[in-house]
Amino acid sequence: MATLSIRIDLGPGNRLGPGKVRLLELVAEHGSISAAGRAIGMSYRRAWTLIEALNTGFGRPVVEAQIGGRSGGGARLTAFGTALVRDYRAIEAAAEKAAAPYLDALDRAAVATGHR
């Protein structure tokens, strides 16, 4: 089945796509950058680098560190980070709905030619 993948180019070096959005969702779910990285199969360093790129690209944090206590520190999405994920998913859903007939046509063409 043909799928649509949305990447939004916001400026030089400032891109938002499915991988970064999924990482943000996992930070929200796990409360930790390292746990989010593990869940998506990437190193802590790579996860941190992607989050820092978002923080820098938007000029404000999308994720903020929480100071450790008894169980250690963690991370959470800021209100802006939560809105960013929500808006990206809304754009993705709208694009998928608009593209559905065209993706179906591509699927049929692929099946008809034996490439599926």
Side-chain angles (χ1 to χ4, degrees), residues 12-56:
N14 190 14
R15 294 182 178 94
L16 183 65
K20 287 179 183 173
V21 170
R22 185 66 186 133
L23 178 61
L24 293 176
E25 289 170 334
L26 289 168
V27 167
E29 181 181 327
H30 293 283
S32 162
I33 294 170
S34 59
R38 281 192 302 275
I40 204 169
M42 71 174 60
S43 70
Y44 171 80
R45 178 164 173 72
R46 177 70 178 144
W48 180 254
T49 299
L50 291 174
I51 289 168
E52 276 300 298
L54 288 169
N55 289 342
T56 301

Side-chain angles (χ1 to χ4, degrees), residues 5-116:
S5 178
I6 303 294
R7 185 184 82 183
I8 302 169
D9 295 318
L10 297 156
N14 190 14
R15 294 182 178 94
L16 183 65
K20 287 179 183 173
V21 170
R22 185 66 186 133
L23 178 61
L24 293 176
E25 289 170 334
L26 289 168
V27 167
E29 181 181 327
H30 293 283
S32 162
I33 294 170
S34 59
R38 281 192 302 275
I40 204 169
M42 71 174 60
S43 70
Y44 171 80
R45 178 164 173 72
R46 177 70 178 144
W48 180 254
T49 299
L50 291 174
I51 289 168
E52 276 300 298
L54 288 169
N55 289 342
T56 301
F58 284 103
R60 57 182 156 167
V62 296
V63 172
E64 59 188 8
Q66 296 178 299
I67 304 302
R70 173 180 281 175
S71 61
R76 68 183 181 112
L77 295 187
T78 62
F80 176 70
T82 300
L84 189 65
V85 169
R86 181 196 64 228
D87 292 347
Y88 176 87
R89 291 299 185 200
I91 290 166
E92 185 179 58
E96 286 176 356
K97 183 177 179 181
Y102 306 103
L103 294 174
D104 289 343
L106 290 173
D107 265 343
R108 286 190 302 276
V111 168
T113 60
H115 289 97
R116 177 130 318 220

